[in-house]
Amino acid sequence: MNFLQAGQGADYINTGSWSKKAIAQARRFGDVYVVASSEDRNFTYVPTESDLTPSARYLHFTSNNTIFGTQFRDEPTPTGDAWLVCDASSDIFCQPIDISRYGLIYAGAQKNLGPSGVTLVIIRDDLVKAGALDIPEMLQYRTHADNDSCYNTPPTFGIYVMGLVFRWLLDQGGLEEIGRRNQEKAATLYDYLDEDVLFKPTAETGSRSLMNITFVTGNPDLDARFIETASRSGLSGLKGHRSVGGMRASIYNAFPPAGVEKLVDVMKDFAQQHG
Amino acid sequence: MNFLQAGQGADYINTGSWSKKAIAQARRFGDVYVVASSEDRNFTYVPTESDLTPSARYLHFTSNNTIFGTQFRDEPTPTGDAWLVCDASSDIFCQPIDISRYGLIYAGAQKNLGPSGVTLVIIRDDLVKAGALDIPEMLQYRTHADNDSCYNTPPTFGIYVMGLVFRWLLDQGGLEEIGRRNQEKAATLYDYLDEDVLFKPTAETGSRSLMNITFVTGNPDLDARFIETASRSGLSGLKGHRSVGGMRASIYNAFPPAGVEKLVDVMKDFAQQHG
């Protein structure tokens, strides 16, 4: 809405549900070119962008895909003067960010930052000024940048909690340390999945998410029994999205390593009984 | 944005800062007719609408004006098929509402409902369906109505607290009782202002707000000394907006009657010493 007007175009990478929503809404404003998509294999991998559009204003991607359990390992590279736009809602601050590569990052708070109802936006100074002027003032990035995010009464509670989370991140050793822990947590689960015969990871090896780990037994009844078993052990929310089925372990920054270890123990027990 | 498109028009009543913002933003979408304004006397009263526009889709008003301390005693009446739209952010649920008179009410939570970051919308069923389709889905009322306000991850904490406030309102005896208390609280202060010689109310008699009571001594230095004196007695936030000067007592639903009585006591003491 700020950067795409009739006669202008932008490149989009389609890696699932949230990318599709971004593409559909952007099409209301200008020309959208889907320059890469993993829809051919039900979004189980992160595709490589190709044939970028020379006139594209920006390249948009969704860094982590909660439903399909995939995550970009490296940022895609936009072409020419285009800048990189990222929906980082589900993996922001899961590891260090090379901020110099981005024009705009937006991230809903509810996964890694704080309570729902706040969106963190990191935007390049020149882009703040380049945004559309013929849209409502509340929807212009410049309005919020020029008013220190206090043009309206901001969602104070959410911002306060985000501040506490940022301090916690720093106290833990910052994003370097958080990234190391997330790698370790994810490895605990993926290593087990790679050697087990009952549970299979659904995301392709080079595209696996640190935040959402999706896996199946291949038998929906057995999946349902596992989810029930895990729930009795205090491990809830493991049911996968209906478009993937099976299980999904969401292990955001706040999820403790001990929880991942417990999940693997419960999986081992279950595999022994039902394998 | 939902109800005004190029070639369409709407009537607006201008009673101050928030009305002006609504008017300025609506002008981006269609024709705006200011059918009443109290700008001629620095918004110290609620004007009567006249010469309503026969083709207007709706009539918009701001039910309470925080800065100028004015409030509509009764709803204005739109013409023909036009419906009534109200920004009730600063007086929602301060008294019973005759909901049948409205097409749309919107109210930011932060005055009478809960923490900032949530907006309550009450909208007539037929208007949900009548809204524009060529705006982003997130900005269409139908998106939120059709999805029980869960199209996006909603601001859960704010909604939860609003639920607690609604229960509290019911426990107190509902809006009838809340309205009675607000009348009483406001009368305590206005009755004193009407008989005092030092402090003068700024809003005209028939337009006085139950929520924000504005008054001055007529001497800015004395105003500043009073604000300091009151602050030492634990009564903070009394400084009026710079466009009115003087003092403003904001006595929203949550403000206790004892606080109003204490304010009057502090005013009496101050008047005796400085009157």
Side-chain angles (χ1 to χ4, degrees):
Chain A
M1 201 166 183
N2 277 269
F3 299 117
L4 208 54
Q5 299 195 299
Q8 298 178 328
D11 286 342
Y12 276 71
I13 299 178
N14 181 13
T15 52
S17 182
W18 301 104
S19 307
K20 281 165 123 175
K21 280 179 197 276
I23 289 165
Q25 299 309 310
R27 286 210 163 112
R28 294 169 173 271
F29 297 96
D31 300 320
V32 170
Y33 310 106
V34 178
V35 292
S37 170
S38 51
E39 195 160 17
D40 58 341
R41 294 204 299 276
N42 198 30
F43 300 114
T44 49
Y45 67 104
V46 167
T48 307
E49 69 280 12
S50 58
D51 294 324
L52 295 176
T53 313
S55 64
R57 293 203 84 196
Y58 59 84
L59 169 62
H60 180 285
F61 77 113
T62 310
S63 50
N64 183 70
N65 302 281
T66 53
I67 292 174
F68 301 99
T70 64
Q71 186 178 22
F72 280 75
R73 196 133 298 183
D74 295 298
E75 291 90 354
T77 306
T79 181
D81 289 338
W83 62 83
L84 196 59
V85 175
C86 180
D87 174 354
S89 295
S90 62
D91 67 351
I92 181 99
F93 296 163
C94 80
Q95 57 193 4
I97 306 173
D98 180 358
I99 201 72
S100 69
R101 302 194 61 175
Y102 292 84
L104 170 64
I105 297 176
Y106 62 95
Q110 62 267 24
K111 305 298 187 190
N112 269 345
L113 301 180
S116 57
V118 198
T119 297
L120 178 73
V121 173
I122 306 173
I123 182 171
R124 234 168 55 194
D125 283 338
D126 61 316
L127 298 181
V128 171
K129 295 181 192 80
L133 283 161
D134 61 350
I135 58 175
E137 277 177 88
M138 266 298 288
L139 300 174
Q140 296 177 26
Y141 287 117
R142 72 170 56 73
T143 303
H144 302 286
D146 290 349
N147 291 282
D148 295 327
S149 299
C150 288
Y151 176 74
N152 61 326
T153 308
T156 48
F157 177 76
I159 292 170
Y160 172 71
V161 175
M162 269 172 62
L164 297 180
V165 171
F166 295 158
R167 274 194 207 153
W168 176 81
L169 289 172
L170 292 169
D171 287 348
Q172 301 301 304
L175 298 186
E176 292 283 352
E177 172 60 16
I178 293 292
R180 198 194 58 72
R181 287 188 203 175
N182 282 328
Q183 291 284 351
E184 215 168 77
K185 274 158 46 180
T188 302
L189 193 43
Y190 284 123
D191 287 352
Y192 171 66
L193 285 169
D194 282 337
E195 65 182 32
D196 188 70
V197 289
L198 181 65
F199 296 105
K200 301 276 158 238
T202 63
E204 295 184 15
T205 314
S207 305
R208 291 168 167 180
S209 168
L210 295 175
M211 300 282 101
N212 312 95
I213 299 183
T214 48
F215 53 98
V216 294
T217 63
N219 174 344
D221 292 337
L222 211 52
D223 288 348
R225 274 165 75 184
F226 173 71
I227 291 161
E228 210 195 296
T229 303
S231 172
R232 278 198 303 269
S233 299
L235 297 165
S236 58
L238 278 167
K239 195 175 184 327
H241 191 273
R242 63 182 178 284
S243 56
V244 178
M247 281 67 70
R248 170 172 54 166
S250 289
I251 52 173
Y252 295 112
N253 283 357
F255 195 80
V260 180
E261 284 153 26
K262 182 166 179 183
L263 172 59
V264 171
D265 287 343
V266 172
M267 289 168 76
K268 278 182 185 165
D269 278 353
F270 189 87
Q272 252 181 347
Q273 286 169 41
H274 301 88
Chain B
M1 202 165 182
N2 276 269
F3 299 117
L4 208 54
Q5 299 196 297
Q8 297 178 328
D11 286 342
Y12 276 71
I13 299 178
N14 181 14
T15 52
S17 182
W18 301 105
S19 307
K20 281 166 126 175
K21 281 180 197 272
I23 289 165
Q25 299 309 310
R27 286 209 163 112
R28 294 169 172 270
F29 297 97
D31 300 320
V32 170
Y33 311 105
V34 178
V35 292
S37 171
S38 52
E39 195 159 18
D40 59 341
R41 294 205 299 277
N42 198 30
F43 300 114
T44 50
Y45 68 105
V46 167
T48 307
E49 68 280 11
S50 58
D51 293 326
L52 295 176
T53 313
S55 63
R57 294 204 81 197
Y58 59 83
L59 169 62
H60 180 284
F61 77 113
T62 310
S63 50
N64 183 70
N65 302 282
T66 53
I67 293 175
F68 300 99
T70 64
Q71 185 177 24
F72 280 75
R73 196 133 301 184
D74 295 298
E75 291 89 353
T77 306
T79 181
D81 289 338
W83 62 84
L84 196 59
V85 175
C86 179
D87 175 355
S89 296
S90 62
D91 68 351
I92 180 98
F93 296 163
C94 80
Q95 57 193 4
I97 306 172
D98 180 359
I99 201 71
S100 69
R101 301 195 61 175
Y102 292 84
L104 171 65
I105 297 176
Y106 61 95
Q110 63 267 24
K111 305 298 187 191
N112 269 345
L113 302 181
S116 59
V118 199
T119 298
L120 179 71
V121 173
I122 305 173
I123 182 172
R124 231 169 56 195
D125 283 338
D126 61 316
L127 298 181
V128 171
K129 295 181 191 83
L133 282 160
D134 61 350
I135 58 175
E137 277 177 89
M138 265 300 286
L139 301 173
Q140 296 177 26
Y141 288 117
R142 70 169 60 71
T143 303
H144 302 286
D146 290 349
N147 291 281
D148 295 327
S149 297
C150 288
Y151 176 73
N152 61 325
T153 307
T156 49
F157 177 75
I159 293 172
Y160 172 71
V161 175
M162 269 172 62
L164 296 180
V165 172
F166 295 158
R167 274 194 207 150
W168 176 81
L169 289 172
L170 292 170
D171 288 348
Q172 301 303 305
L175 298 185
E176 292 284 351
E177 171 61 16
I178 293 293
R180 198 194 57 73
R181 288 189 202 175
N182 282 327
Q183 291 285 353
E184 215 169 77
K185 275 159 43 181
T188 302
L189 193 43
Y190 283 123
D191 287 352
Y192 171 67
L193 285 169
D194 282 338
E195 67 183 31
D196 188 69
V197 289
L198 182 64
F199 296 105
K200 300 277 160 238
T202 63
E204 295 184 16
T205 313
S207 306
R208 292 168 166 181
S209 169
L210 296 175
M211 300 282 102
N212 312 95
I213 299 181
T214 49
F215 53 98
V216 294
T217 63
N219 175 344
D221 292 337
L222 211 51
D223 288 347
R225 275 165 73 183
F226 173 71
I227 290 162
E228 211 194 297
T229 303
S231 172
R232 280 199 301 271
S233 298
L235 296 165
S236 58
L238 277 166
K239 194 175 186 325
H241 190 271
R242 64 183 177 281
S243 56
V244 178
M247 280 67 70
R248 171 173 52 167
S250 289
I251 52 172
Y252 296 111
N253 282 357
F255 194 80
V260 181
E261 284 152 25
K262 183 166 180 183
L263 172 60
V264 171
D265 287 344
V266 172
M267 289 168 75
K268 279 182 184 163
D269 279 355
F270 188 88
Q272 252 180 346
Q273 287 169 41
H274 300 88

